[in-house]
Amino acid sequence: MLPFSIHIEDGAPVSEQLTQAVRRAILKGDLQDGDRFPSVRSLSVELRISPTTAHKAVSVLKSEGLLGSQPGVGMVVRTDELPSTNQRLEQLSPALKQILTEAKSLQLSDEMLCAHIQKLWKEHS
């Protein structure tokens, strides 16, 4: 069983969907610093994807510093630092694009939308 959830859909490359799912799990705290991370082989078997696709996703996550190798343990999650602001904002982009599309279809201005977001932000703080 994988330590994060993922629902693979048509449209985006599977490796990108996998990297997004892992980033989201790290940001939500589902994966924490030092947690063991599945091997490329385990990922490919569990998700029924090619090892090449799993390897591509793992390579991206390693290059971002979110995964690392630990002798005697294998691959582990690295969250010593939060991902960059740009990476965290990019994580929100798909949901924000959907909200923008919906707001435009409702003929709401950007000022109206920003004011509503700020109101909701204060309610959740």
Side-chain angles (χ1 to χ4, degrees):
M1 184 169 167
L2 296 176
F4 57 90
S5 63
I6 181 172
H7 179 71
I8 297 175
E9 299 177 349
D10 288 339
V14 173
S15 63
E16 287 181 23
Q17 292 181 55
L18 179 54
T19 56
Q20 287 287 75
V22 174
R23 286 185 198 120
R24 191 173 28 255
I26 290 171
L27 289 172
K28 290 171 61 179
D30 295 340
L31 289 173
Q32 298 185 356
D33 191 51
D35 285 352
R36 293 181 75 170
F37 193 79
S39 67
V40 167
R41 184 173 184 272
S42 295
L43 287 171
S44 65
V45 170
E46 288 277 340
L47 297 173
R48 297 181 186 176
I49 60 176
S50 79
T52 303
T53 300
H55 184 269
K56 185 176 180 181
V58 167
S59 293
V60 169
L61 294 165
K62 286 176 83 172
S63 72
E64 292 175 355
L66 297 174
L67 296 179
S69 297
Q70 185 172 334
V73 174
M75 192 121 47
V76 294
V77 175
R78 297 282 185 222
T79 60
D80 299 339
E81 299 176 18
L82 277 176
S84 71
T85 301
N86 284 342
Q87 288 173 321
R88 290 181 283 151
L89 288 172
E90 187 60 36
Q91 188 69 35
L92 293 176
S93 289
L96 291 175
K97 287 177 183 175
Q98 189 174 358
I99 289 169
L100 289 174
T101 300
E102 188 71 22
K104 287 180 180 178
S105 73
L106 295 170
Q107 300 181 4
L108 296 171
S109 69
D110 59 337
E111 292 87 8
M112 291 175 186
L113 181 60
C114 287
H116 190 63
I117 290 172
Q118 288 175 345
K119 177 185 166 213
L120 293 174
W121 185 272
K122 288 178 184 174
E123 289 175 3
H124 278 26
S125 297

